[in-house]
Amino acid sequence: MVTSSAKKANAMEQDFTPLLETKIPEYTALAQAGKVEDAVENLLLIEKQARVAEDAKATSKVATSIVHIIVDAGRWDYLNEKLLQLSKRRGQLKMAIKDMVVAAIDVLDKTPDEPTRLSLIDTLRTITEGKIFVEVERARLTRMLAKTKEEKGDLAGAATILQEIQVETFGAMDKREKTEFLLEQVRLVIDNRDFIRAQILSNKIHRRVLLTDDMQDLKIRFYTEMIRYYLHERNFLEVCRSYQMIYDTPSVKANKLQATLKKIVLFIVLASFSPEQADLLQRIYEDKNLEELPMYRDLLKWFITKELVRWPVLMELYRGELTQTHASQFSKPAGASSSSSSSSSSSTSTSPSSSTGEPDLWEELKKRVVEHNLRVIAKYYSRISASRLSTLLDLQEEETEKFISDLVSQGIIYAKIDRPHAIVVFQRRQQPNEVLNEWSQNIGTLLDTLEQTTHLIHREIMVHAKKQ
């Protein structure tokens, strides 16, 4: 008596190659004669025999032949039906499903219209759902579907569909394609104004992967998207660092280096003061390429030098350059006057930057100038009248008080405002023991200096006496 395992072994030993070499051309000709369904049904019988015999190669060849026969006949609805039927057959082999899906993806460009193409994509996504061995193909199909929705103006739908795919867990997808997919996710959610999700998705992209030579174009794309994100968050220090990463990319052409360097200078100036900002500002100032951009080098020098920067003078010097070179951020210059009404009107005015989602940065630049001036004044003054301070800052007293409060709350300077006497005190009041310690230290320094001076005098007297 022959057991079932023996039958299975005999079936597996059967060679379907001669059968396929004769039957596939025969049934292809039958389909070309107009009998598509008869040809497909006959091939399905052969597919069953090969599948039962667990001949993956033969099963795959029959399945892909069915796809090509139906496509050549232009029976797209029939193709969707047979794709689902083949994928759901009992014990269907993984190789057959994968090759069938790949063959169907290859013919997507042959679809006669958009609805037919979308219907085929939906069918293939249904087949690939939950199957790890076709996860890469499902990701590609989802990206095609998201692109179609984006072209129709449905950004929210495109972003939602693309986020269904967690490509960071795909082992079969190569690093470049995986990074491109994640970049597309980041771009879509930023276009959809979902900045929280953009940050989450951007963290899935490993920065070290972008440092390789074959990923330079993706590195530029990534940091371009991060610039859009950081501009929305008004994190100008990170915007500057992103431009620096682009600037340090070897593939950036020479004619783009100066434009990128201008952005670096602009956003390091716009960044709020911090130890990191001050260090980066100094390192950028030492870049040799800045010698070709004297205007931007001078702009950095204004903020490095511990001297007051007059806002009207600065705006007059850089108004033309900033409005022409950085039109998306500097659309309309803020007025040189210190009135709060003019400031508010300029910040709320309609501008190209408001339509593109990028902030108008004239007010930010004015804030950085005022903050720089306050730090300089706090360094040289222990106390100053509010009216005199407002004059030095080119502000009204109400605006001056607001800026002082902001810098004090950020821990950048120490200040107290005596409103009844209209006095601003920048020197911290010392405790008695602090005063005594400082006095003792000063006396010790004085005595050390006196001792060193006496020693030098005696040495000179001895040298002079020896010469005589």
Side-chain angles (χ1 to χ4, degrees):
M1 183 176 180
V2 181
T3 62
S4 59
S5 59
K7 290 181 179 180
K8 187 174 182 180
N10 292 331
M12 290 178 67
E13 292 175 358
Q14 185 178 354
D15 185 10
F16 288 88
T17 303
L19 180 64
L20 295 181
E21 289 177 352
T22 58
K23 294 298 182 182
I24 289 180
E26 177 185 340
Y27 295 139
T28 302
L30 182 63
Q32 291 173 351
K35 299 181 179 180
V36 178
E37 295 182 4
D38 291 342
V40 170
E41 291 301 325
N42 288 327
L43 285 173
L44 286 174
L45 293 176
I46 300 175
E47 182 272 337
K48 180 180 180 181
Q49 296 175 18
R51 173 166 44 86
V52 171
E54 296 186 2
D55 188 340
K57 187 175 180 180
T59 307
S60 175
K61 189 172 183 179
V62 174
T64 54
S65 298
I66 292 173
V67 171
H68 292 142
I69 286 173
I70 298 176
V71 169
D72 292 340
R75 301 279 298 276
W76 297 100
D77 291 336
Y78 189 54
L79 175 63
N80 291 332
E81 177 187 339
K82 291 305 171 184
L83 285 172
L84 289 171
Q85 180 183 345
L86 283 168
S87 66
K88 292 179 180 179
R89 283 198 151 188
R90 182 179 178 182
Q92 187 59 274
L93 305 177
K94 294 180 180 180
M95 181 178 175
I97 294 177
K98 182 172 182 177
D99 290 346
M100 177 181 66
V101 169
V102 171
I105 292 175
D106 291 339
V107 300
L108 278 172
D109 295 335
K110 297 182 180 180
T111 51
D113 49 41
E114 193 66 23
T116 303
R117 181 173 180 272
L118 292 177
S119 176
L120 181 55
I121 289 176
D122 287 337
T123 299
L124 293 174
R125 291 184 75 240
T126 301
I127 294 172
T128 56
E129 185 176 4
K131 296 180 177 67
I132 297 178
F133 56 92
V134 284
E135 60 185 5
V136 175
E137 286 74 17
R138 178 175 176 80
R140 292 168 182 165
L141 288 166
T142 304
R143 188 172 177 180
M144 294 178 190
L145 185 59
K147 184 179 179 181
T148 303
K149 285 185 174 292
E150 183 185 7
E151 290 172 351
K152 292 181 178 180
D154 186 8
L155 277 177
T160 302
I161 287 175
L162 207 61
Q163 289 172 60
E164 294 176 358
I165 309 300
Q166 308 295 326
V167 292
E168 64 274 9
T169 64
F170 289 5
M173 185 178 287
D174 63 83
K175 290 190 294 185
R176 182 176 180 85
E177 187 177 2
K178 190 181 297 186
T179 305
E180 286 179 343
F181 198 97
L182 289 170
L183 278 173
E184 191 68 11
Q185 288 181 330
V186 173
R187 183 188 65 81
L188 278 176
V189 294
I190 291 179
D191 287 345
N192 199 36
R193 313 293 293 172
D194 189 352
F195 293 98
I196 295 177
R197 201 173 297 276
Q199 182 191 21
I200 296 172
L201 290 171
S202 67
N203 289 334
K204 295 179 180 180
I205 300 176
H206 297 290
R207 273 59 168 178
R208 287 180 295 179
V209 173
L210 300 173
L211 299 178
T212 57
D213 293 338
D214 60 332
M215 303 282 276
Q216 291 184 21
D217 57 327
L218 298 185
K219 176 185 175 183
I220 295 173
R221 281 180 55 191
F222 171 74
Y223 284 106
T224 301
E225 296 301 330
M226 295 312 297
I227 287 168
R228 295 176 61 198
Y229 168 75
Y230 290 127
L231 275 175
H232 174 267
E233 299 295 318
R234 306 185 82 82
N235 189 342
F236 301 120
L237 182 60
E238 290 301 326
V239 173
C240 174
R241 286 173 174 165
S242 297
Y243 273 117
Q244 267 201 313
M245 296 302 295
I246 296 175
Y247 178 73
D248 294 335
T249 305
S251 63
V252 176
K253 295 181 180 179
N255 59 346
K256 292 185 178 181
L257 281 179
Q258 287 193 356
T260 307
L261 188 55
K262 288 179 180 180
K263 294 288 187 182
I264 292 173
V265 172
L266 173 64
F267 285 103
I268 193 59
V269 168
L270 290 171
S272 299
F273 176 81
S274 65
E276 295 85 357
Q277 186 265 355
D279 176 67
L280 188 56
L281 181 69
Q282 187 65 43
R283 286 191 282 118
I284 294 171
Y285 182 72
E286 295 171 359
D287 192 318
K288 293 182 179 180
N289 290 327
L290 271 179
E291 295 176 359
E292 301 175 9
L293 301 170
M295 180 175 285
Y296 287 84
R297 184 177 176 86
D298 292 342
L299 179 61
L300 288 179
K301 189 174 182 180
W302 282 53
F303 287 88
I304 290 176
T305 308
K306 302 299 181 183
E307 296 179 0
L308 293 179
V309 177
R310 294 296 309 277
W311 167 246
V313 176
L314 180 69
M315 192 184 67
E316 187 65 27
L317 288 174
Y318 288 92
R319 176 188 301 174
E321 173 66 20
L322 295 181
T323 52
Q324 291 177 12
T325 310
H326 313 282
S328 61
Q329 289 93 15
F330 292 90
S331 55
K332 291 186 178 181
S337 63
S338 59
S339 63
S340 58
S341 60
S342 64
S343 300
S344 62
S345 64
S346 65
S347 61
T348 57
S349 60
T350 304
S351 64
S353 59
S354 61
S355 62
T356 58
E358 294 183 344
D360 185 46
L361 300 179
W362 279 111
E363 286 301 316
E364 290 292 336
L365 181 58
K366 185 177 181 180
K367 288 179 182 178
R368 297 293 89 79
V369 170
V370 173
E371 290 176 4
H372 169 79
N373 289 342
L374 274 173
R375 288 188 291 107
V376 172
I377 292 171
K379 183 177 180 66
Y380 291 108
Y381 284 82
S382 59
R383 50 192 288 138
I384 188 174
S385 65
S387 59
R388 174 60 177 162
L389 180 60
S390 299
T391 302
L392 293 174
L393 297 177
D394 297 304
L395 295 173
Q396 292 183 344
E397 292 190 11
E398 293 81 2
E399 291 179 301
T400 301
E401 183 175 332
K402 181 181 182 302
F403 275 107
I404 292 174
S405 301
D406 290 341
L407 291 186
V408 170
S409 63
Q410 295 171 21
I412 296 175
I413 64 171
Y414 172 86
K416 282 190 175 182
I417 301 175
D418 185 352
R419 282 182 172 173
H421 298 91
I423 297 293
V424 180
V425 180
F426 292 108
Q427 188 175 15
R428 188 187 301 272
R429 185 175 181 180
Q430 293 179 314
Q431 298 296 326
N433 59 335
E434 293 177 342
V435 175
L436 287 174
N437 289 337
E438 184 178 354
W439 177 83
S440 175
Q441 184 178 0
N442 291 339
I443 291 297
T445 304
L446 176 62
L447 291 176
D448 290 340
T449 304
L450 182 60
E451 182 180 357
Q452 185 178 4
T453 305
T454 304
H455 171 72
L456 292 175
I457 291 173
H458 283 303
R459 190 180 69 176
E460 290 297 325
I461 291 175
M462 294 172 64
V463 170
H464 185 66
K466 187 174 182 181
K467 287 182 179 181
Q468 290 180 347

